[in-house]
């Protein structure tokens, strides 16, 4: 766990905040796709920690990292408390938890699609930062979807990284007019069979539609789930999903949060 101190907690508008904490014991150990459990209150309201993906580590991923970033949306009591966190205050972060996102093998003429909807952009940003420091990263493209342009939080960060990025909005105010799964479909069309893979992080409906697309096209695809996670480290079974054959349960917090689509049940 270790000491951590808040260094920024900026209001990005539309209920989104970017929290940064100096956390030298935690930051070097974080890999993209992992999350932290944030203690949001000193008392018992709310008592249970809240899980958040690490959206970045600074100055760069790996052993030199000293700070972590969390991109969060205010949706309830826990995140309402977080928006009042002040610079200079200590913060209690438990992690890193969960497994890192996978690194599928992609041929030079292939494509790794990274599909984010809403708050799902957070782990994809750290993933792209890690790839940016690799000597031979796989060909990859980020697709971001939101209801309207102002909700495309984090878009600029991908552009600053120089990542090939395309966006969609439901109301057509930016990029492709429609949903991000249809955008993903159109980006997969030109890729030869067997040369594509993908990772998706987003709201439930997007995840279900992405799963269907991946199964239909027989593309190796991982979906990151955001189930409720009371403990985050495998002790409570509050986050489980059944296996596709229904014979047992898997804990999303320790075996995920990302799973290959073929390991997901019909409803998840
Ligand atoms: C592995 C993981 C990574 C996450 N990463 C991020 C992140 O990077 N940024 C971010 O903003 N949020 C992230 N979340 C979701 C975040 O944990 C919840 O939004 C937060 O716990 C809400 O707490 P609250 O007390 O403010 O609201 P609550 O009162 O707990 O919930 C308010 C509303 O949000 C819904 N909600 C709460 N938790 C979830 C959830 N896990 N999935 C879907 N709906 C939920 C509830 O149904 C309710 O309608 C992540 C969740 C998981 C499991
Ligand atoms: S959150 Fe407790 S077991 Fe997964």
């Amino acid at each position: 766990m270790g000491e951590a101190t808040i260094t920024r907690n900026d209001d990005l508008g539309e209920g989104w905040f970017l929290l940064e904490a100096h956390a030298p014991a935690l930051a070097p150990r974080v890999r993209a796709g992992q999350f932290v459990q944030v203690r949001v209150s000193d008392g018992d309201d709310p008592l249970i920690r809240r899980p958040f993906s690490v959206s970045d580590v600074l100055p760069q991923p790996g052993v030199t990292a000293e700070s972590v970033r969390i991109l969060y949306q205010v949706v309830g009591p826990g995140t309402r408390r977080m928006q009042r966190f002040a610079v200079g205050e200590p913060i209690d972060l438990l992690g890193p938890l969960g497994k890192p996102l996978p690194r599928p093998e992609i041929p030079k003429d292939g494509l790794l699609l990274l599909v984010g909807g809403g708050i799902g952009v957070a782990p994809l940003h750290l993933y792209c930062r890690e790839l940016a420091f690799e000597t031979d990263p796989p060909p990859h493209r980020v697709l971001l979807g939101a209801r309207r342009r102002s909700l495309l939080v984090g878009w600029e960060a991908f552009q600053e990284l120089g990542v090939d990025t395309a966006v969609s909005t439901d109301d057509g105010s930016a990029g492709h007019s429609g949903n991000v799964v249809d955008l993903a479909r159109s980006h997969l069309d030109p890729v030869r069979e067997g040369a594509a893979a993908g990772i998706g992080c987003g709201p439930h409906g997007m995840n279900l539609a992405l799963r269907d697309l991946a199964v239909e096209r027989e593309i190796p695809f991982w979906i990151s789930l955001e189930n409720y996670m009371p403990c985050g480290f495998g002790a409570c079974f509050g986050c489980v999903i059944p296996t596709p054959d229904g014979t047992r349960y898997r804990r999303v917090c320790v075996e995920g949060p990302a799973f290959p689509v073929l390991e997901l049940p019909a409803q998840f």
Side-chain angles (χ1 to χ4, degrees), residues 37 228-240 251-254:
Q37 285 278 35
Y228 286 102
M229 291 189 183
C231 77
F233 48 82
C236 72
F237 282 71
C239 64
V240 295
R251 291 166 297 175
V252 175
C253 64
V254 287

Side-chain angles (χ1 to χ4, degrees), residues 32-33 100-104 106 111-117 120 123-124 127-128 131 138 140-144 180 184 188 196-202 206-207 210-211 214 219-225 257-261:
L101 288 172
R103 289 295 166 88
I106 302 288
L111 181 65
L112 173 60
L113 265 194
L114 304 169
V115 185
L124 298 182
Y127 194 86
C128 288
L131 292 179
H140 57 287
R141 184 174 303 148
V142 171
L143 306 182
L144 301 177
V180 73
L188 288 171
I199 297 174
C201 310
M206 184 199 101
N207 288 344
L210 261 188
R211 190 268 308 273
I219 293 169
F221 224 101
W222 285 257
I223 304 278
S224 190
L225 304 183
F259 292 90
V261 290

